[in-house]
Amino acid sequence: MRLGRIVRLLMDHATVVASGTKIAEEIGTSRSEVWRLIQQLRGLGVDVAGHSATGYRLRAVPDLLLPEMIAPLVKGTVFSPPDARNDIKNIHHYYKVGSTNSEAMSAAAENAPEGSVFVAEEQLAGRGRGAHSWHSARSAGIYCSVILRPPIPPSDALLLSLAAGLAVRAAVIEVMPVAVDLKWPNDVLIDGKKFCGILTEMNAEATRVRHLVIGIGINVNQAKFPAELRDIATSLRLETGTEWSRVELCSALLKSLDREYRALINDGPAARGSVLKRFEENSSSARGHKVRVEDENGIQGITEGLDARGFLQVRTADGLRTVLSGTVRTMS
Ligand code: BTN
């Protein structure tokens, strides 16, 4: 929190040097504590010039997912509280955390408001679907989880999760020229390699969702991956040859997620139909693709699009099958 305030202060005084005394007064601490916090920021890669005798100045705007950076860009969405004086309150930023999904699920159980956002620079125990983990290198990706409280039955949660994939796709193509492919249910690919995964978790009664957490991991500026991921994972940087602003992409993501969410809860059946149609249109593997489903007794067949609830249909030798879970491997 205090690190974020210092960065904001330095950004507000971008062209001048901010004295240690002024920063200390503004955040209500001592000059020596400001020095300690500046050292901490430098350790995190923020390029701050100067020292306590001369004052401090930012050499470059840092690409940290700080509430102070993101909140002004997502005003008017479900991720921004209506009271403008509190606009950073909804966004929780961690330099290091186990998993933003775990933080969000615990906070939701403690009644955190809808629209709360949990972002991290680094996750030590990033979680994927099933028993998978999510590689979460420091300040290279976007690791973001949001709390929603949609008035829907649990059977509609998959639609929301598919809509989150559409939101990722919209945000990425808004920011950079790249062809983005969706893979059912929740992978986002470029040229057959995965750069984004989505983990949707919920707490529900049989007829209504109490709360739902959508966790999104996007590989943005990774220059390489561990050997075991190299053939299947990619980053936006590796695909486009340049680095991208995580702050810009994260706010574009929250805005497109807000659009998808509002449409789904306000526009009824038309919005549901639109999610299914757009998902199929933007997925090269949802129709006419040979697949094998791991964990579902290894069924194999040709994909035939999504059913009304968003489940993948596969034409097998034994007839049309609905895939409820498991990893879908494409075979052609
Ligand atoms: C998958 O592809 O299996 C889903 C990966 C989801 C990763 C994100 S990163 C932010 C959030 N926190 C987590 O622990 N997981 C999700």
Side-chain angles (χ1 to χ4, degrees):
M1 196 79 168
R2 287 188 306 175
L3 293 180
R5 288 188 64 196
I6 294 188
V7 172
R8 185 79 241 175
L9 259 168
L10 292 173
M11 284 177 61
D12 290 347
H13 298 86
T15 51
V16 291
V17 169
S19 75
T21 313
K22 182 172 173 53
I23 299 175
E25 269 170 17
E26 296 250 357
I27 68 167
T29 187
S30 63
R31 276 180 62 193
S32 59
E33 178 64 0
V34 167
W35 180 82
R36 202 187 60 75
L37 293 169
I38 295 274
Q39 292 304 96
Q40 218 176 315
L41 278 174
R42 286 177 173 145
L44 292 161
V46 181
D47 193 0
V48 187
H51 46 81
S52 61
T54 59
Y56 303 101
R57 185 177 58 80
L58 270 183
R59 279 209 195 88
V61 177
D63 191 29
L64 293 175
L65 301 172
L66 297 168
E68 287 81 356
M69 314 280 256
I70 297 190
L73 302 171
V74 299
K75 280 197 194 319
T77 69
V78 63
F79 307 112
S80 171
D83 178 354
R85 285 164 306 173
N86 269 332
D87 69 351
I88 66 166
K89 208 181 80 197
N90 264 20
I91 304 179
H92 306 267
H93 172 262
Y94 304 86
Y95 285 96
K96 217 179 249 186
V97 74
S99 151
T100 54
N101 256 44
S102 303
E103 293 298 315
M105 284 298 279
S106 316
E110 301 282 313
N111 287 326
E114 165 159 91
S116 298
V117 178
F118 298 76
V119 278
E121 300 299 323
E122 180 179 2
Q123 293 186 118
L124 301 175
R127 296 190 286 112
R129 295 196 314 119
H132 293 114
S133 56
W134 186 255
H135 177 70
S136 311
R138 191 174 93 192
S139 298
I142 293 173
Y143 317 115
C144 174
S145 303
V146 301
I147 298 178
L148 297 173
R149 298 186 185 280
I152 58 169
S155 51
D156 279 356
L158 175 57
L159 276 171
L160 204 46
S161 199
L162 299 176
L166 286 165
V168 170
R169 181 177 181 278
V172 170
I173 60 181
E174 182 186 319
V175 171
M176 65 196 75
V178 74
V180 177
D181 190 20
L182 300 173
K183 177 166 164 267
W184 190 90
N186 270 147
D187 292 351
V188 195
L189 319 178
I190 297 175
D191 233 350
K193 282 188 167 183
K194 177 165 168 175
F195 74 93
C196 167
I198 299 170
L199 175 64
T200 301
E201 298 182 290
M202 68 177 160
N203 181 320
E205 294 167 21
T207 53
R208 86 181 175 99
V209 168
R210 289 198 189 106
H211 57 255
L212 183 142
V213 165
I214 302 181
I216 301 176
I218 305 182
N219 300 333
V220 184
N221 290 325
Q222 282 88 344
K224 56 180 184 345
F225 287 93
E228 67 276 15
L229 294 178
R230 218 158 282 160
D231 292 341
I232 49 171
T234 192
S235 71
L236 296 170
R237 173 181 173 178
L238 286 170
E239 294 303 317
T240 60
T242 146
E243 288 197 37
W244 296 94
S245 157
R246 291 180 311 136
V247 168
E248 186 187 355
L249 187 57
C250 186
S251 21
L253 169 64
L254 292 173
K255 282 192 282 186
S256 55
L257 198 52
D258 175 69
R259 281 195 295 275
E260 293 289 346
Y261 181 54
R262 280 177 204 262
L264 260 183
I265 59 174
N266 297 329
D267 301 351
R272 299 166 60 104
S274 158
V275 168
L276 297 170
K277 179 167 172 285
R278 285 179 296 132
F279 192 97
E280 285 189 12
E281 282 168 1
N282 293 295
S283 168
S284 65
S285 51
R287 252 183 208 284
H289 222 81
K290 192 165 181 198
V291 295
R292 189 182 67 247
V293 184
E294 284 170 15
D295 322 330
E296 286 247 339
N297 303 325
I299 64 167
Q300 279 190 24
I302 308 289
T303 53
E304 281 201 8
L306 309 182
D307 73 8
R309 296 168 304 164
F311 290 101
L312 186 67
Q313 313 253 74
V314 177
R315 173 76 52 193
T316 71
D318 303 325
L320 195 61
R321 297 277 298 270
T322 300
V323 181
L324 299 177
S325 69
T327 303
V328 177
R329 301 260 178 239
T330 49
M331 298 173 71
S332 53

